[in-house]
Amino acid sequence: MDVSTSQAGRAGRWSAEGEAMCPYRLVLEHVTSRWGVLVLILLLERSHRFSELRRAIGRVSEKMLTQTLQTLERDGMVHREARPVIPPRVDYSLTDLGREAAEQVRDLAAWTERRMAAVQEAREGYDAARAGS
């Protein structure tokens, strides 16, 4: 992955041109986004309805959750099943690809939780050094 992109590449990362230039970076952004991580981890447990996901995540707008689910569905990670019942029922679950990504994200989240004390220590050391200079 070439992390030294041009200015035009950075500006167009959300455009079709940006996707063509660096498609794996966009997938990484989708999977590791604020809401993407939480959606993937929750769907590892079981399928959820939209309202269940929103309640479980908390503090996510309907619009952002919808966009996140659509993006993950487009990337082939989430399956959306609309059932023809009254009232309409839509369930979200992981595809095989989504399960694989979610397991990786869950492992990263677990590592973060285990190593948070070390991160906090590093932050304090950094802040102290910056305050002293």
Side-chain angles (χ1 to χ4, degrees), residues 1-11 13 18 21-22 24-25:
M1 172 164 54
D2 178 16
V3 292
S4 60
T5 59
S6 68
Q7 194 69 7
R10 282 192 295 271
R13 74 176 190 218
M21 289 173 52
C22 197
Y24 50 84
R25 184 177 298 174

Side-chain angles (χ1 to χ4, degrees), residues 41-103:
I41 290 173
L42 283 169
L43 290 178
L44 260 175
E45 300 169 6
R46 63 175 175 84
S47 65
H48 285 76
R49 294 175 72 176
F50 184 89
S51 58
E52 291 175 320
L53 283 170
R54 189 157 182 229
R55 268 193 308 275
I57 292 172
R59 295 178 38 163
V60 60
S61 70
E62 190 171 316
K63 178 183 176 183
M64 283 307 303
L65 182 55
T66 297
Q67 287 176 349
T68 299
L69 287 165
Q70 287 173 342
T71 298
L72 293 172
E73 183 180 8
R74 180 173 182 252
D75 287 345
M77 300 199 193
V78 169
H79 173 72
R80 180 184 185 273
E81 183 179 354
R83 297 182 181 174
V85 295
I86 297 183
R89 179 181 172 118
V90 178
D91 290 304
Y92 294 91
S93 59
L94 293 176
T95 64
D96 289 341
L97 185 63
R99 181 164 299 287
E100 188 178 338
E103 288 168 352

